[in-house]
Amino acid sequence: MVEVKETDGKRFAVDPQEGQLEIKYGLPADVLFCKSCVISNQRPSSSVEFKHTKDSRKSTIHFDENGICDACNYSKRKFTEVDWEERDAKLRELCDRFRSRNDSYDCLVPGSGGKDSVYAALRLKRDYGMHPLTVTWAPHLYTDVGWYNMQAWLHKGGFDNYLFTPDGEAHRKLTRLAFENLLHPFQPFIFGQKNYAPKMAAKMGVPLVFYGENEAEYGNTVSENESAQRKLEYFAQDSQNAEDLYFGGVPFSELPDKGVDLRSIDPYMPADPDSLRAAEVEVHYLGYYLQWTPQENYYYSAENIGFKANEHRTEGTYSKYNSIDDKTDPYHYWTTLVKFGIGRATYDAAQEIRNQHIDREEGVALVRRYDQEFPRRYFPEFLEYLDLSEEQFFAIADEFRSPHLWTKSNGEWVLRHQVS
Ligand SMILES: [Zn+2]
């Protein structure tokens, strides 16, 4: 156990050689890696907090007494304890309760036309006789393959879709603030995307919403694991009152000083749980009812709508078909590497180990090979989007490296702890 000292509200790990190393974000002082997958105990358990400021403390993934992470323990049950026939029957019951008799929409499937939303909407339509309305919160910068897949989802899958594109000027400014103040360039996207589907469900009078997998598969809070339904309070977050909220680490009232027009904030606001309740909105995880395997969803989507993987490997990892619709996506994962020492290959390998596609040894090798690769392909476009120079980009990022995770060796940043 690393000794921890607290001074002036900051925490420090006491290192026998190097003295006191600051621990940012309330992360665990001891860096541990799950004995079953490759995730470390530095992984935050939620990335959506409306009161997020630079020094906000994170709750992190829980490891059990055997050194196994909650996500692995949760996933194991998919293969051992869960009776999938019984779950299928439950899904049929749920669909029977909502199925339309007059051809109107009877469920809402949010998604981007990625493999998971393709799988969800098509299975509901073809195997459960539903009439889904699909809704999409647009990515920051579409990739060609992402736009192709989005169109294939609607054209070949046969779905109506509402594509919401937020005010591009406001979205850029919020993204820049979130990068500068939180090193979390995806925060505005996550706020908007998370709340869009339940708000649309209420507005369109289509109360049944299907999300894909439960976040517990990735180690988010496990308290709701046993339920198919997401509590509506989840969408309300901290408050309904804009005055209490932070966007990109900036209090609502100070946004105009940062050049953000307050009229553009509405789409990012938490949903009002009272209005969701009045509309009898129910949000369910399809992953509770159907065995959810990203690789299988990819094969299914390729076969059924001609879903395309990338021609090239995604930078920072080894995969070609996960989350490929947004040019800014690689920078989201790169910032988690900077803040928590966890890059994109770690997320991919951990998931594939849990789904029994690769073993831990292969996962470790993949993480060591790809996790720290910097995503160069869309870097000029991302810098232009944020209106930052390359020097500014790296100077900001360096402020967010926690000294208990990173050290400099010959002018290069090196992780103090790597999975092995
Ligand atoms: Zn694990």
Side-chain angles (χ1 to χ4, degrees):
M1 287 288 279
V2 174
E3 190 193 335
V4 178
K5 278 198 175 150
E6 288 208 44
T7 326
D8 301 332
K10 290 183 174 176
R11 290 164 71 239
F12 297 87
V14 181
D15 184 275
Q17 270 94 50
E18 297 187 52
Q20 298 193 3
L21 305 173
E22 191 189 345
I23 307 165
K24 289 183 188 276
Y25 322 121
L27 296 172
D30 285 287
V31 180
L32 305 174
F33 294 90
C34 173
K35 295 205 164 91
S36 175
C37 70
V38 286
I39 205 77
S40 87
N41 64 344
Q42 309 291 303
R43 186 203 186 286
S45 48
S46 173
S47 59
V48 266
E49 298 147 50
F50 270 97
K51 288 190 176 163
H52 195 158
T53 58
K54 187 169 181 178
D55 298 316
S56 285
R57 296 198 163 188
K58 302 279 183 191
S59 60
T60 46
I61 190 169
H62 174 256
F63 280 35
D64 72 10
E65 64 283 6
N66 301 315
I68 310 285
C69 76
D70 274 1
C72 283
N73 283 324
Y74 179 75
S75 286
K76 239 172 263 166
R77 270 184 274 160
K78 286 202 306 190
F79 296 99
T80 51
E81 290 167 30
V82 177
D83 178 345
W84 289 105
E85 279 179 29
E86 185 199 326
R87 294 280 174 95
D88 173 76
K90 278 191 184 174
L91 178 57
R92 281 179 201 285
E93 262 170 49
L94 176 69
C95 289
D96 287 347
R97 188 152 67 82
F98 284 90
R99 193 175 296 103
S100 151
R101 311 211 187 284
N102 61 359
D103 298 331
S104 60
Y105 305 122
D106 47 23
C107 64
L108 195 128
V109 177
S112 60
K115 63 191 186 329
D116 296 319
S117 43
V118 170
Y119 177 78
L122 265 185
R123 289 285 322 263
L124 286 165
K125 178 179 170 178
R126 292 184 181 173
D127 300 332
Y128 296 87
M130 299 298 279
H131 186 196
L133 171 64
T134 67
V135 299
T136 304
W137 177 279
H140 302 79
L141 298 168
Y142 263 111
T143 60
D144 290 345
V145 73
W147 182 248
Y148 174 89
N149 287 329
M150 165 81 182
Q151 294 297 303
W153 184 35
L154 310 177
H155 288 255
K156 296 182 191 163
F159 296 106
D160 293 341
N161 176 267
Y162 281 94
L163 171 62
F164 181 83
T165 308
D167 169 341
E169 192 193 12
H171 199 55
R172 273 167 86 130
K173 285 182 176 159
L174 288 171
T175 302
R176 160 89 183 240
L177 290 172
F179 182 81
E180 270 179 299
N181 296 329
L182 311 170
L183 201 71
H184 189 2
F186 253 51
Q187 193 202 41
F189 173 87
I190 293 172
F191 282 173
Q193 187 199 42
K194 172 189 165 192
N195 295 309
Y196 180 54
K199 284 182 188 171
M200 280 296 278
K203 193 172 285 185
M204 299 294 293
V206 184
L208 178 60
V209 180
F210 281 111
Y211 279 14
E213 68 227 293
N214 188 327
E215 292 93 335
E217 303 226 3
Y218 298 99
N220 282 12
T221 320
V222 286
S223 55
E224 293 193 13
N225 272 3
E226 296 310 319
S227 168
Q229 247 179 292
R230 176 56 103 175
K231 290 196 183 102
L232 295 179
E233 285 71 23
Y234 170 75
F235 299 97
Q237 205 76 23
D238 308 274
S239 172
Q240 282 309 296
N241 184 359
E243 299 293 333
D244 296 341
L245 304 179
Y246 287 67
F247 297 85
V250 177
F252 177 80
S253 59
E254 292 172 24
L255 286 172
D257 304 339
K258 306 285 182 187
V260 179
D261 187 339
L262 293 181
R263 285 175 302 182
S264 55
I265 289 300
D266 192 51
Y268 303 92
M269 285 292 293
D272 170 8
D274 290 337
S275 77
L276 299 185
R277 259 188 292 273
E280 300 184 342
V281 171
E282 290 187 20
V283 178
H284 289 251
Y285 290 110
L286 208 49
Y288 174 86
Y289 301 103
L290 302 172
Q291 195 161 2
W292 198 266
T293 313
Q295 194 177 81
E296 294 303 324
N297 294 357
Y298 164 62
Y299 293 140
Y300 180 93
S301 305
E303 199 171 302
N304 286 281
I305 65 146
F307 179 92
K308 279 190 192 170
N310 251 334
E311 284 165 7
H312 49 79
R313 175 179 63 75
T314 302
E315 291 167 304
T317 186
Y318 57 94
S319 68
K320 286 184 169 182
Y321 56 75
N322 289 325
S323 205
I324 52 174
D325 61 358
D326 192 336
K327 291 179 181 176
T328 70
D329 208 66
Y331 303 94
H332 172 54
Y333 289 99
W334 186 76
T335 58
T336 69
L337 174 71
V338 170
K339 286 184 290 185
F340 315 120
I342 300 173
R344 191 162 185 172
T346 299
Y347 290 103
D348 282 342
Q351 179 268 111
E352 292 202 349
I353 293 169
R354 289 175 203 137
N355 283 307
Q356 306 179 354
H357 302 312
I358 59 175
D359 63 25
R360 190 173 188 279
E361 199 181 322
E362 289 170 296
V364 169
L366 290 164
V367 170
R368 287 184 158 257
R369 181 150 179 207
Y370 295 118
D371 219 35
Q372 296 185 55
E373 178 183 40
F374 185 77
R376 284 273 158 203
R377 187 181 305 270
Y378 301 119
F379 197 34
E381 282 158 279
F382 188 58
L383 290 174
E384 194 191 329
Y385 189 82
L386 294 182
D387 192 22
L388 285 174
S389 69
E390 193 168 327
E391 292 72 29
Q392 288 171 312
F393 175 95
F394 286 112
I396 291 167
D398 284 351
E399 286 174 37
F400 287 86
R401 290 182 195 264
S402 187
H404 83 298
L405 294 176
W406 292 98
T407 185
K408 252 190 173 171
S409 165
N410 300 323
E412 299 281 328
W413 287 108
V414 184
L415 279 172
R416 294 176 186 275
H417 308 273
Q418 276 198 283
V419 68
S420 59

